[in-house]
């Protein structure tokens, strides 16, 4: 009987919504602004498509140097870390009803790249007002996250 209950518990844990396996590949967190998740979806096509999606309606879109820098950085990460294989949500911090920060990790074949998106919702649609990325988590993630808090 104990073996049956243990097997049943294991099966339920594996099939439960939000299990670690499904959350790692497709974050189901409704608090992730659409503009961020659409960018990650576009990355399946190319890093250029991802940057275009993240910069849609953003003040960043008018800054050609910033856009070029992000594309260059992502191209460099692909050269060093290999093919993009997905992303994982680290945390969404809601600062106000119209502002939030999304912390995420880009997954490549040979290593992670950490990202932070400052998201702003001036009316009815989220935009990325700024973003940052680095292969090292310390410049991107708050110290409290790195300390496991």
């Amino acid at each position: 009987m104990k073996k049956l209950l243990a097997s049943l518990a294991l099966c339920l844990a594996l099939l439960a919504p939000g299990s670690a396996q499904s959350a790692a590949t497709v974050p189901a967190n409704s608090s992730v602004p659409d503009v961020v998740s659409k960018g990650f979806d576009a990355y399946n096509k190319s890093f250029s498509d991802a940057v275009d999606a993240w910069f849609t309606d953003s003040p960043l879109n008018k800054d050609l140097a910033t856009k070029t820098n992000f594309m260059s950085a992502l191209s460099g990460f692909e050269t060093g870390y290999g093919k993009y294989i997905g992303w994982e949500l680290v945390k969404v911090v809601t600062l106000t009803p119209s502002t939030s920060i999304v912390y995420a990790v880009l997954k490549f074949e040979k290593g992670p790249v950490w990202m932070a998106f400052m998201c702003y919702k001036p009316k009815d649609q989220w935009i990325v007002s700024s973003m940052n990325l680095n292969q090292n988590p310390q410049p991107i993630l708050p110290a409290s996250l790195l300390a496991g808090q």
Side-chain angles (χ1 to χ4, degrees):
M1 183 69 162
K2 284 184 180 182
K3 286 183 182 180
L4 177 62
L5 289 175
S7 295
L8 181 59
L10 179 61
C11 287
L12 288 174
L14 292 173
L15 296 174
S19 68
Q21 186 177 15
S22 65
T25 54
V26 183
N29 187 332
S30 62
S31 64
V32 175
D34 282 349
V35 67
V36 174
S37 55
K38 285 178 183 176
F40 285 121
D41 291 344
Y43 206 131
N44 291 320
K45 197 171 179 186
S46 74
F47 66 80
S48 175
D49 289 325
V51 172
D52 286 342
W54 289 323
F55 280 41
T56 299
D57 297 325
S58 169
L60 298 172
N61 202 31
K62 295 179 182 181
D63 186 348
L64 186 57
T66 298
K67 193 170 189 177
T68 300
N69 287 341
F70 274 101
M71 289 204 196
S72 177
L74 290 170
S75 175
F77 288 129
E78 286 189 3
T79 299
Y81 287 170
K83 184 180 173 187
Y84 169 75
I85 58 173
W87 73 287
E88 293 175 347
L89 176 65
V90 176
K91 186 172 188 170
V92 176
V93 177
T94 302
L95 302 172
T96 71
S98 63
T99 59
S100 65
I101 303 172
V102 178
Y103 297 102
V105 61
L106 284 167
K107 295 168 44 178
F108 293 91
E109 294 170 315
K110 298 177 185 175
V113 172
W114 303 92
M115 295 191 74
F117 299 86
M118 174 55 77
C119 298
Y120 177 59
K121 190 175 184 180
K123 293 181 184 174
D124 60 346
Q125 187 173 331
W126 286 100
I127 62 171
V128 174
S129 60
S130 67
M131 62 186 217
N132 201 353
L133 71 162
N134 199 301
Q135 72 273 17
N136 188 343
Q138 283 85 357
I140 302 300
L141 301 179
S144 59
L145 275 177
L146 294 169
Q149 299 173 356

